Amino acid sequence: MSNTAKEQSKTNGKLFLQQSFAQQQEMLECQLKLSRSSITHNATMGNINEKYFIDMIKNYLPDRYAIDTGIVIDSEGKTSDQIDIIIFDNQYTPTLLDQNDHRYIPAESVYAIFEVKPHIDKNYIKYAGNKAKSVRILKRTSVSIVHAGGIYPAKKHFDIIAGIIAIDIKWDDGFGNAFKNVYNDLTDTEKLNCGLAIKGDCFDTYNDGEFTFGPYPNSLIFFLFRLLEKLQSLGTVPAIDWNAYAEQLKS
């Protein structure tokens, strides 16, 4: 194959990926528009939109991860706010007190959390930051693991990823200067690592806090692929000290 033919093949492959993933974003955008126009109750619309996003993310997550809505709990019985989307360990950590579609997820098992909103603006960024803080301030235990060759030391905790997902963004310049001014007002425990507007762009700060932006109409898949890479970099969650939970049950 000539160099010209190889370059043309690469170009065709790139266009195929861009167009195919853009179609997925268009379909999700249509679903969200339909829920916005046909459902008048905000809580119901919010629940439906959460499900759309959960299903979309779940399609790309390996089986080692679970994803659901819920509340995060620690070994001292302290809890987070209700979280729209939680990505957590699906191999080594059970959820707790599951009943009536309401589950508590141990803080040690959490990889990432997201808030799902109708749009991104100053108030919703602050709101999502407060939700992130309610999870990050919880206590996380970590114990050593015995294996055939010896003992793995207790793993250091990684920073829990936090983000916001919405249909669109209210600022005319998208994730521009107005957004950055609001973002910079967040405290360390409130900081959002990523965000996605289905009808706009996406951002993340995975590279040492520097902003990386993904382009519409492929912002959805760019957001998901960047999230997958970040999750891979975190490795496995720490082993929970179940005795710390058991101690709370003594009279």
Side-chain angles (χ1 to χ4, degrees):
M1 183 182 292
S2 68
N3 288 336
T4 301
K6 288 180 180 178
E7 288 300 318
Q8 185 60 51
S9 178
K10 288 174 62 176
T11 300
N12 291 341
K14 182 177 181 178
L15 286 173
F16 170 75
L17 288 176
Q18 290 177 342
Q19 292 170 358
S20 298
F21 288 128
Q23 287 176 355
Q24 282 196 313
Q25 185 156 341
E26 289 173 6
M27 287 189 292
L28 180 57
E29 188 175 328
C30 288
Q31 289 175 317
L32 296 171
K33 284 180 179 177
L34 181 61
S35 70
R36 175 182 282 180
S37 63
S38 62
I39 300 172
T40 57
H41 193 281
N42 286 337
T44 301
M45 182 176 68
N47 291 339
I48 290 175
N49 288 347
E50 286 171 23
K51 185 179 185 306
Y52 284 145
F53 284 119
I54 286 174
D55 289 344
M56 176 61 69
I57 297 173
K58 189 179 293 184
N59 286 339
Y60 289 91
L61 285 180
D63 291 341
R64 63 179 292 187
Y65 303 106
I67 179 170
D68 207 342
T69 184
I71 294 173
V72 183
I73 188 171
D74 69 12
S75 59
E76 296 178 343
K78 297 176 182 176
T79 59
S80 72
D81 296 336
Q82 175 76 26
I83 306 298
D84 291 341
I85 296 177
I86 306 173
I87 297 177
F88 56 98
D89 173 60
N90 194 40
Q91 288 184 310
Y92 305 111
T93 316
T95 55
L96 307 175
L97 301 171
D98 289 3
Q99 52 185 323
N100 298 324
D101 295 325
H102 195 78
R103 64 184 359 178
Y104 289 86
I105 298 166
E108 294 88 344
S109 72
V110 176
Y111 287 101
I113 60 168
F114 300 94
E115 282 302 298
V116 177
K117 295 300 161 199
H119 56 261
I120 297 175
D121 63 9
K122 178 179 180 179
N123 291 333
Y124 279 135
I125 286 178
K126 186 64 178 177
Y127 180 87
N130 286 331
K131 289 296 189 84
K133 180 179 180 179
S134 78
V135 172
R136 287 172 170 155
I137 63 175
L138 296 177
K139 181 178 181 179
R140 288 185 286 169
T141 63
S142 181
V143 296
S144 58
I145 302 175
V146 178
H147 62 96
I151 298 177
Y152 291 126
K155 184 176 180 180
K156 183 180 178 181
H157 296 121
F158 50 73
D159 293 332
I160 294 174
I161 301 166
I164 184 170
I165 302 174
I167 300 174
D168 53 28
I169 185 167
K170 285 298 184 180
W171 289 293
D172 291 337
D173 63 346
F175 293 113
N177 290 331
F179 156 75
K180 290 178 182 177
N181 289 336
V182 174
Y183 181 90
N184 289 333
D185 285 338
L186 298 174
T187 66
D188 287 344
T189 53
E190 295 171 340
K191 285 293 186 189
L192 302 179
N193 306 102
C194 55
L196 167 68
I198 292 297
K199 294 172 65 177
D201 300 336
C202 66
F203 81 91
D204 68 64
T205 59
Y206 301 144
N207 295 336
D208 298 323
E210 296 295 323
F211 282 107
T212 297
F213 299 98
Y216 182 84
N218 283 125
S219 51
L220 170 63
I221 198 64
F222 187 90
F223 174 86
L224 290 174
F225 283 167
R226 293 277 295 177
L227 173 62
L228 280 173
E229 193 278 334
K230 181 61 178 178
L231 289 172
Q232 286 178 340
S233 74
L234 299 180
T236 305
V237 295
I240 293 180
D241 181 0
W242 288 113
N243 281 330
Y245 283 82
E247 285 294 318
Q248 300 302 318
L249 304 179
K250 293 181 179 179
S251 57

